[in-house]
Amino acid sequence: MAVIEIGGASQSGITQRQRWGHYFAVFYAAIALLIGINLRDSSVNAVVAYSNTTAGIRALYPRGWLIDTDGDYVFRVRDLSAGGYKTTIQVAIEPVAPTASSRNIVDALTLARSQRVAAYTPLSRSPISLSDEREALALEYAYVEPGDNVFLSAIPNVVSGLDIIVLQRGQAIIISFLSDSDTYDSNYPVFQRFLDALVF
Amino acid sequence: MAVKDTILSVPRQALLDPIREADPANRYRRVWSALTVEVVILFGAAGLVFILVDILRVAPPTALVPVLSVGMVVLPLLLWLLLSVLAERRAIEPRQRLIVVFVITALAANAITLPFIEGVLQPGRWLPLEDAINRIIGYTFSIGIMQETTKYLVLRYTIWQDLLRIRTDAVAYSVASALGYAFALNIQFLIANPGASLDVVALRVVENVALNLVGALFISLGLAETRFSTPSPFFMTIMLALAAFVVGTTQPLQSGLVNAIFSVRGVFDRPLVGFGFTAALFFGVLAMVTFLYSAIERRERDLAKTKDGR
């Protein structure tokens, strides 16, 4: 690109060529920064598709999380790069009686967990609407996770959990989000995106 | 005869030498030699710390480690003050705003750039998991561009253009800016890692200082050319992009070289490889930029001679 300098230096002593040189540099920096933010967003929000035709579930879970389908759940994904407790999203399906209500499911979950984990404490339960207008029940709770290695001198992790319970076709679909209580708020948007994209 | 006697009788001390204008090259402090000496001493000090702590296993008293770590962080600043800022006082035409540039860059880095990188761009959250090419691109467009744009903007709005009297003014002020940014980085590292061992602090200080100086040399070339020549209007942009790219490329390479390797014989860390890489990068870029500066100046002298000949 050729810039024709008409009149040479201005009153401030800067030539047109120098002025444009600085404008281009600042413009490039702004564009490069936007590219950086875009790269970050596309990497942080990148997802992997999961589909289970038997259970009738399709989901998009965060890229880089470890998927596990071997437990008493449909699938579970964990962020193994997280410090402390590994952030977990889990989808489970439990058969229920036609007359059962969400409250019965909550009571059953509370009983089972109080025997399985330390200091299990239900915090709140509230009815919510999912993005597709379906009614669900949200159950918030916390418990203490001692860690995998009993010989390691470390303070146990306090885990905050959230269950979204939906009753449909004689089944309770339990979508759980578990995170270290220190990072719960910062991790919650990941679960929110997962929930919005979940088809069941 | 009487007149001759009178002249001879004038005391010798009363005769003044004719006023001679100083050689333009000697009116300003020499930048390249001072920069080289500062960095060589810094590398030497870090190497000495590494040999003592990591190889000879000399363990300084625990209470003394934080003091020595702070000393290591302050060392580049002290060297610069002694060898550059104080030396300016002996120059006929000293550079006035070196400390101003240093302070403003350190404050801008600490208050704006580093919080923005950590809070918004968050490279530590997504880049370590990416492949090599994506890491280079990611670091270029996050840490690289923020770091070099900060230095460029500080220089643009503090010294442009009256304080750029000769080309090496751009180098001197860019070095001040780079040291300011590196100082903020080093202080943050020290605050975030109060228990870091002395050799780790020394290597990190050298790495931060050298990498910032490398970027600043490209920025200085862009500023000097824009000020004294008539390059393409994109020249400053290209230098800014190049500086960001070098920073972006170096980040993953350096961590890859320094990180421990796994093998059948165990796990081995390789801090010296990273140290050598930093030294090679800095002195390679320094040699290249010095060559470019001298080639440009030689070309201008030849052009001036040609014009005078006509």
Side-chain angles (χ1 to χ4, degrees):
Chain A
M1 178 180 170
V3 173
I4 300 166
E5 290 180 33
I6 300 169
S10 64
Q11 283 184 340
S12 60
I14 300 178
T15 64
Q16 286 284 25
R17 188 183 289 264
Q18 290 171 341
R19 195 185 300 279
W20 279 106
H22 292 305
Y23 287 162
F24 285 142
V26 173
F27 182 70
Y28 168 77
I31 295 292
L33 191 58
L34 286 177
I35 292 171
I37 291 171
N38 189 42
L39 283 172
R40 185 203 78 105
D41 284 349
S42 50
S43 178
V44 168
N45 300 330
V47 290
V48 177
Y50 169 79
S51 174
N52 185 326
T53 49
T54 311
I57 285 175
R58 273 187 291 134
L60 299 173
Y61 65 90
R63 194 184 69 180
W65 288 34
L66 188 69
I67 189 162
D68 166 23
T69 55
D70 290 339
D72 56 348
Y73 35 75
V74 178
F75 76 100
R76 181 179 77 169
V77 286
R78 305 186 81 194
D79 179 12
L80 295 183
S81 65
Y85 183 80
K86 308 301 176 196
T87 313
T88 303
I89 296 173
Q90 176 180 304
V91 176
I93 295 179
E94 297 289 338
V96 292
T99 54
S101 66
S102 298
R103 186 193 169 96
N104 300 129
I105 309 299
V106 170
D107 291 342
L109 286 171
T110 304
L111 275 172
R113 285 174 179 158
S114 60
Q115 292 166 16
R116 204 175 67 229
V117 295
Y120 177 79
T121 313
L123 298 173
S124 71
R125 64 177 79 175
S126 53
I128 59 163
S129 289
L130 299 179
S131 56
D132 57 359
E133 304 298 325
R134 266 190 284 187
E135 295 295 319
L137 186 74
L139 168 67
E140 286 185 284
Y141 53 90
Y143 63 88
V144 173
E145 174 81 20
D148 298 331
N149 191 343
V150 291
F151 296 102
L152 204 63
S153 302
I155 296 171
N157 299 308
V158 176
V159 179
S160 293
L162 171 67
D163 283 351
I164 306 293
I165 301 163
V166 184
L167 292 178
Q168 67 171 26
R169 296 190 294 271
Q171 290 179 321
I173 291 112
I174 304 162
I175 307 146
S176 304
F177 170 59
L178 300 165
S179 172
D180 198 299
S181 62
D182 290 338
T183 55
Y184 183 86
D185 289 339
S186 60
N187 288 329
Y188 184 74
V190 177
F191 177 65
Q192 192 64 53
R193 282 195 295 272
F194 174 85
L195 195 60
D196 290 344
L198 184 67
V199 178
F200 56 92
Chain B
M1 187 68 184
V3 174
K4 189 180 176 186
D5 287 344
T6 310
I7 292 171
L8 287 173
S9 65
V10 174
R12 191 176 175 79
Q13 295 89 322
L15 293 172
L16 295 173
D17 288 335
I19 296 169
R20 280 183 302 180
E21 196 173 334
D23 181 2
N26 296 326
R27 276 161 45 199
Y28 308 96
R29 177 180 65 85
R30 292 177 190 278
V31 174
W32 297 114
S33 52
L35 174 62
T36 310
V37 171
E38 283 164 27
V39 176
V40 165
I41 294 175
L42 184 64
F43 270 98
L48 186 67
V49 167
F50 183 79
I51 289 168
L52 286 174
V53 175
D54 216 61
I55 297 174
L56 300 178
R57 303 285 172 195
V58 176
T62 313
L64 207 60
V65 170
V67 181
L68 293 172
S69 296
V70 171
M72 202 63 224
V73 168
V74 175
L75 181 64
L77 175 60
L78 282 179
L79 287 171
W80 176 68
L81 286 172
L82 284 172
L83 298 172
S84 295
V85 178
L86 280 181
E88 287 289 350
R89 295 188 175 186
R90 293 194 293 275
I92 297 169
E93 294 193 32
R95 298 176 179 96
Q96 303 286 350
R97 288 200 197 161
L98 287 175
I99 292 179
V100 172
V101 168
F102 173 88
V103 170
I104 291 177
T105 312
L107 290 176
N110 194 52
I112 301 167
T113 312
L114 295 176
F116 186 83
I117 289 172
E118 286 306 313
V120 178
L121 295 172
Q122 302 172 315
R125 191 176 157 200
W126 54 285
L127 281 173
L129 302 174
E130 297 287 336
D131 59 43
I133 300 295
N134 281 341
R135 286 175 79 192
I136 288 172
I137 295 170
Y139 278 118
T140 301
F141 287 108
S142 56
I143 292 179
I145 198 67
M146 285 300 294
Q147 184 171 305
E148 298 313 316
T149 303
T150 302
K151 285 185 270 185
Y152 163 67
L153 288 178
V154 168
L155 292 169
R156 170 68 183 81
Y157 290 102
T158 50
I159 60 155
W160 183 273
Q161 65 176 345
D162 296 337
L163 293 176
L164 291 177
R165 302 155 306 174
I166 56 169
R167 286 177 191 281
T168 47
D169 282 346
V171 182
Y173 286 113
S174 297
V175 167
S177 181
L179 289 174
Y181 198 99
F183 186 69
L185 269 177
N186 291 334
I187 289 285
Q188 286 209 354
F189 174 77
L190 210 56
I191 291 169
N193 303 279
S197 65
L198 193 57
D199 55 332
V200 171
V201 173
L203 293 181
R204 179 56 73 99
V205 166
V206 165
E207 185 184 304
N208 284 339
V209 170
L211 195 54
N212 271 284
L213 285 173
V214 164
L217 288 175
F218 287 112
I219 298 292
S220 81
L221 189 61
L223 285 171
E225 275 300 278
T226 308
R227 171 72 177 85
F228 295 105
S229 301
T230 50
S232 159
F234 293 111
F235 189 76
M236 188 64 240
T237 310
I238 292 167
M239 287 298 111
L240 181 62
L242 193 59
F245 177 72
V246 170
V247 172
T249 310
T250 309
Q251 291 277 349
L253 275 179
Q254 212 159 31
S255 53
L257 289 171
V258 172
N259 283 347
I261 52 166
F262 294 100
S263 78
V264 289
R265 287 179 295 164
V267 182
F268 304 97
D269 58 346
R270 307 170 295 172
L272 271 183
V273 181
F275 186 72
F277 173 75
T278 307
L281 175 79
F282 174 77
F283 288 109
V285 170
L286 181 68
M288 188 187 76
V289 174
T290 314
F291 169 77
L292 286 174
Y293 267 97
S294 61
I296 291 164
E297 284 170 353
R298 199 181 313 121
R299 190 191 63 196
E300 282 193 345
R301 277 199 300 272
D302 292 345
L303 274 174
K305 277 181 189 170
T306 312
K307 278 182 185 172
D308 289 345
R310 284 176 190 169

